[in-house]
Amino acid sequence: MGGKLVHAISLYAALFGLWLLLSGFFEPFLLILALVCCAFVVAIAHRMDVIDHEGQPVHITWRLLTYLPWLAVQIVRANIDVARCTLSPGRPIDPILKWVPAGQRSDLGTVIYANSITLTPGTVSTSAEPGRIQVHALTRDGMAALEKGDMDARVRAVEG
Amino acid sequence: MSVLLDILSWLLLMAGSFFVVTGGIGLVRMPDFFTRLHPSGLVDTMGATLIVAGLVLQAEEWQVSVKLLLVLVFLYLTGPTATHAVAHAALVGGLKPWTKGKGKDQD
Amino acid sequence: MIFFVTASAIIIGMALALSRAVLGPTIYDRILAINSHGTKTVLLIAVIGFLTGRPDFLDLALVYALINFIGTLAALKFFKYGRLGDEP
């Protein structure tokens, strides 16, 4: 129950920060309006029962931030590969559809893994279940790189 | 200094334009729906990142930079989800992926 | 100058995506092409904001990015179930 309060506070802080960034006005009247509006939104979210560890993953935020730079490097590499496949004459592609194991313990971890797969061009997740993800890859190399399990292990580390 | 920033931003914008056009070409050239998903991801990730990075270097106020980065964050959050939704719907809808040869070792 | 080049490149990409949306052949191709077209529209709005010296356009780009996502999901759902709301 105490965890729920943490998620509500984190949602409130995120909403208020977003308001400040988007408005750019810092007059007291508008700030009070912002506080009231954010409280209203948090109340609605509480009523909808969507304030939980999946909407506000505060418990993995720091580990997630260390994972993102690695993911960015992978995205750049995959982009160059796919651009080469697209522009080279002929058809240097060999698509394959396959289930790969996903060793994450929670749904949130599986979703992060599936989204990372989709975010990397050349591999797209087409179905996700607890324990395994169906992936469509543009080339066999892309599928082989995924099956080495590097990304899987890193997302498991994010999960803690 | 400002000239250096301009040149860097031009390079980023040119690279972003290259990836956007490449994504468009791939969308037309690829043989079937599932292979077309990949060039679409090209635009979503690299094209958007490079163009936004180039624009951030040209921004004069901090608010403009923040809004550009927010656009990028939203694109990164929604892009893969939409791609996954379309791909999953196509698979459930009975679309068969194009394969090079016979299509061996598939589940 | 550079903004003109970037905007032209994005418009070329949009034309290619639109041609895929027209050619099809399946409904999923069209939805994917329109989603990609929407992403490019977001980028084009941002670039046009700089081109005309009015960065206020970025607010439109923000909203368009979100609407594009909802629109894609709504089109998919409508195609699959034939309705957008709950069971009648």
Side-chain angles (χ1 to χ4, degrees), chain C residues 3-88:
Chain C
F3 296 134
F4 268 113
V5 177
T6 311
S8 323
I10 295 174
I11 289 174
I12 292 171
M14 287 166 87
L16 290 167
L18 262 190
S19 72
R20 176 47 70 196
V22 171
L23 289 172
T26 66
I27 184 94
Y28 306 109
D29 288 288
R30 296 178 209 272
I31 294 176
L32 177 71
I34 292 304
N35 184 33
S36 186
H37 183 266
T39 307
K40 284 166 198 153
T41 310
V42 173
L43 296 175
L44 183 66
I45 294 173
V47 173
I48 284 181
F50 278 79
L51 195 59
T52 57
R54 291 171 62 191
D56 317 330
F57 272 54
L58 285 174
D59 293 327
L60 304 184
L62 267 174
V63 174
Y64 202 98
L66 296 174
I67 297 231
N68 180 38
F69 173 62
I70 301 291
T72 304
L73 292 191
L76 269 178
K77 187 175 178 187
F78 188 73
F79 174 66
K80 198 170 174 189
Y81 299 105
R83 60 173 186 275
L84 291 177
D86 290 333
E87 297 270 353

Side-chain angles (χ1 to χ4, degrees), chain A residues 127-143:
Chain A
S127 301
E129 291 171 7
R132 59 178 196 162
I133 293 173
Q134 193 179 30
V135 177
H136 186 271
L138 193 59
T139 59
R140 305 247 154 183
D141 292 346
M143 182 60 86

Side-chain angles (χ1 to χ4, degrees), chain B residues 22-85:
Chain B
T22 308
I25 292 172
L27 215 52
V28 173
R29 249 192 97 199
M30 288 290 176
D32 88 323
F33 167 74
F34 288 99
T35 46
R36 276 172 212 141
L37 289 166
H38 305 292
S40 160
L42 220 62
V43 181
D44 278 352
T45 58
M46 205 64 171
T49 312
L50 290 173
I51 287 183
V52 167
L55 291 181
V56 164
L57 292 185
Q58 295 275 344
E60 281 158 12
E61 301 164 46
W62 63 270
Q63 277 190 323
V64 174
S65 313
V66 164
K67 276 178 193 169
L68 279 168
L69 291 176
L70 272 176
V71 168
L72 195 62
V73 168
F74 284 146
L75 283 181
Y76 263 78
L77 287 178
T78 58
T81 316
T83 308
H84 175 87

